[in-house]
Amino acid sequence: QVQLVESGGGLVQPGESLRLSCAASGRGFSIYPMGWYRQAPGNQREWVATITGGGTTNYADSVKGRFTISRDNAKDTAYLQMNSLKPEDTAVYYCKVQLPTKAYWGQGTQVTVSS
């Protein structure tokens, strides 16, 4: 059974940083894309960043230059380093792993950016 567990969320002030982690278990994930998404209250879930098994990354324009996605295939873990956080980054952040026939999601971790 595939499980994804996010951690690292919290309350920070504008301009500060956080690093989110997403630990996958149940099978090997090193060749599959992993991604981060977020959902703010009243909004639809939106894509934030993706990293392929080979390490190619892509970012939403709203986070480009501030967020960095990475992965440690030996640990089946993906990370999202978030710098220069803004109040509009406030959301529940979810990770996803895309297998050939199904996508799996974590339970989410809350990030709140407020002064």
Side-chain angles (χ1 to χ4, degrees):
Q1 184 174 350
V2 176
Q3 282 191 320
L4 302 177
V5 179
E6 300 100 332
S7 61
L11 172 63
V12 297
Q13 295 188 346
E16 294 187 338
S17 299
L18 279 175
R19 189 176 84 150
L20 307 183
S21 298
C22 172
S25 62
R27 57 173 296 166
F29 299 94
S30 62
I31 65 171
Y32 300 115
M34 297 184 76
W36 287 96
Y37 293 71
R38 66 187 182 186
Q39 187 167 17
N43 291 355
Q44 291 189 339
R45 191 171 298 187
E46 65 174 0
W47 169 70
V48 174
T50 301
I51 185 166
T52 67
T56 300
T57 59
N58 283 287
Y59 299 92
D61 288 343
S62 59
V63 306
K64 201 171 294 184
R66 300 187 298 123
F67 290 11
T68 303
I69 188 171
S70 61
R71 66 191 296 165
D72 183 338
N73 287 334
K75 297 180 179 179
D76 283 332
T77 299
Y79 305 95
L80 186 68
Q81 177 67 43
M82 306 185 294
N83 298 331
S84 302
L85 282 161
K86 305 176 181 180
E88 51 263 43
D89 294 318
T90 296
V92 178
Y93 284 71
Y94 299 89
C95 70
K96 182 182 90 168
V97 62
Q98 183 65 55
L99 272 57
T101 58
K102 186 177 180 180
Y104 292 87
W105 294 86
Q107 82 290 346
T109 185
Q110 176 71 47
V111 172
T112 303
V113 185
S114 175
S115 55

